[in-house]
Amino acid sequence: MNKLKFFIIGLIIITFSQSCKRGVSLSETDFKDMYSSNADVPQPRFKVFHASDSESEIYYMFENRGLKYSKDLAGENQMAQVRIAWQLYNDYSSNEIIDSSSFVKIDTIATRGLFQLQGMFKMKLQFGQDYILKVTTTDLNTSKKTISFISIYKKDPNNRQFYKVLLKETNTVLFRNYFYADEQLRIVYNHKSTDKFIGRYYGTIFPVSNPPFSLSSPQPFDFENYDPLTVELKNDTANFEANEPGIYHFSTHTESKYSGLTLFQYSNEFPEVNSVKELLDPLRFVTSKREYAKMKKYQDPKKAIDEFWLSTTPDPEKAKKMIKGYYKRVENANYFFTSFKEGWKTDRGIIYIVFGPPNVVYRSLTGESWTYGEQSNYKSLTFNFAKVNNPFTNNDYTLQRSTVYKNPWYRAIDTWRQGKVASLEY
């Protein structure tokens, strides 16, 4: 009897310990918080650098405005405290945690006039395997949380995560995939010995994605239309700067078209929207072709923009709210969805701008699914995006288009034109 009792207890303990390592698979997790428009809690940014075949470095950055600073126990310093907890998975379909850990980062740099909290932690990750890293960050002064999911690629030694890009002036990690015309960069690549990068410059200006109901195929990208670049690599480091907008692709092999490091240059205020052109171009979503062509011909395009928004409502204050809401979505689209072109031009970007942040987001290795409305409601609208194998970016997704989207699209546009912020609420 006692043996049976101990056996049952032991079985319970084993079952409990295993359940601590298992849960809902990532493919069944709602990722909607990734695309939250909550400006009070900016999402932290992460960069992965594979320092060796067995060790990887995860760099993180928080904007200070997203953290709560309180006086320390001595009452001398303003201090933020952030708990960073991570869990490692094989892929999105897995519900088993391979490894996990957490630590607390204390920050007082805001009192010295800096605007970012940066740091790094190391992980033992073997070469030859890919992973998914889930990172939960908690502001301990407010209990506010953010959840981020990071794809880790460690199979191809020429993939972008084997490169580390630093701002030369401050020797800090560049968390953006784009750089500005006045920035000098240092590119580190220490996986194996080579004396130069093979570079390609593409000055292509990409068009805006078609509406979701358009079945026309986009024109394929001409990978052979580029200007060659040669960047010398000395002591595993190359210096680089450029002043022309476009795509800059670096590799260690001439045949590596589908791997390597890609950096982009847009406007010097990207992802923010400030110039008249940046304000005018996204209006093509909520205007007819004729209206948009007419606005482009205005001698004073700013006047055309103001007249359009005032036409949606006679109340100037309401028009200001409309403008703020619309262009906030444009900037968020740039932040979340920029790939080989600006985020507002992408398939996910146009859906996000017109319909707003989705209510439910599911993600897998092959794509994303967005639902507007309640998931079980037959009136809800779902958009499916397939992940594209793009040599320039891991953030390229294409919409599975359908004519069924035509009526919802025009209803959402009519909502904007009636002086309301369009979002699908049922």
Side-chain angles (χ1 to χ4, degrees), residues 312-350:
T312 65
T313 172
D315 184 351
E317 289 302 315
K318 191 173 181 181
K320 287 181 181 178
K321 290 182 180 180
M322 293 286 293
I323 293 170
K324 182 178 179 181
Y326 191 80
Y327 291 111
K328 178 62 179 174
R329 290 188 184 181
V330 174
E331 291 181 351
N332 282 346
N334 285 340
Y335 186 88
F336 295 132
F337 310 123
T338 291
S339 54
F340 61 96
K341 58 183 177 181
E342 300 94 314
W344 73 270
K345 293 181 177 181
T346 65
D347 284 0
R348 289 183 297 171
I350 66 171

Side-chain angles (χ1 to χ4, degrees), residues 185-322:
L185 307 179
R186 291 176 56 231
I187 304 174
V188 179
Y189 180 84
N190 59 9
H191 189 70
K192 68 177 183 178
S193 177
T194 183
D195 60 356
K196 63 181 178 181
F197 287 141
I198 306 300
R200 297 179 175 93
Y201 166 70
Y202 299 87
T204 309
I205 298 176
F206 293 95
V208 178
S209 291
N210 292 324
F213 55 85
S214 173
L215 302 182
S216 60
S217 300
Q219 188 172 350
F221 183 74
D222 184 4
F223 288 101
E224 303 308 318
N225 184 20
Y226 63 85
D227 294 328
L229 300 171
T230 300
V231 182
E232 298 299 324
L233 189 63
K234 186 176 182 180
N235 297 326
D236 300 329
T237 303
N239 295 317
F240 179 74
E241 60 181 306
N243 295 314
E244 293 295 327
I247 299 174
Y248 296 84
H249 181 73
F250 304 93
S251 176
T252 57
H253 302 89
T254 55
E255 68 274 10
S256 296
K257 187 172 72 173
Y258 286 96
S259 59
L261 171 71
T262 308
L263 297 170
F264 308 92
Q265 190 176 122
Y266 306 113
S267 74
N268 256 22
E269 295 183 337
F270 187 87
E272 294 182 4
V273 176
N274 291 309
S275 72
V276 172
K277 184 178 187 307
E278 291 167 340
L279 293 169
L280 178 59
D281 286 351
L283 286 184
R284 64 182 65 189
F285 301 142
V286 290
T287 57
S288 67
K289 287 184 179 180
R290 177 185 243 173
E291 286 175 319
Y292 182 71
K294 183 179 178 181
M295 294 170 72
K296 294 277 284 185
K297 293 179 180 178
Y298 264 58
Q299 288 187 348
D300 183 0
K302 180 63 169 63
K303 183 180 179 182
I305 295 169
D306 291 340
E307 286 181 355
F308 168 78
W309 287 110
L310 287 171
S311 73
T312 65
T313 172
D315 184 351
E317 289 302 315
K318 191 173 181 181
K320 287 181 181 178
K321 290 182 180 180
M322 293 286 293

Side-chain angles (χ1 to χ4, degrees), residues 65-76:
R65 68 184 179 89
L67 300 174
K68 172 69 174 179
Y69 286 79
S70 302
K71 287 188 178 181
D72 60 17
L73 294 176
E76 297 177 354

Side-chain angles (χ1 to χ4, degrees), residues 371-382 426:
T371 297
Y372 289 87
E374 295 179 1
Q375 194 174 2
S376 58
N377 193 319
Y378 74 95
K379 291 184 178 181
S380 296
L381 188 62
T382 297
Y426 299 98

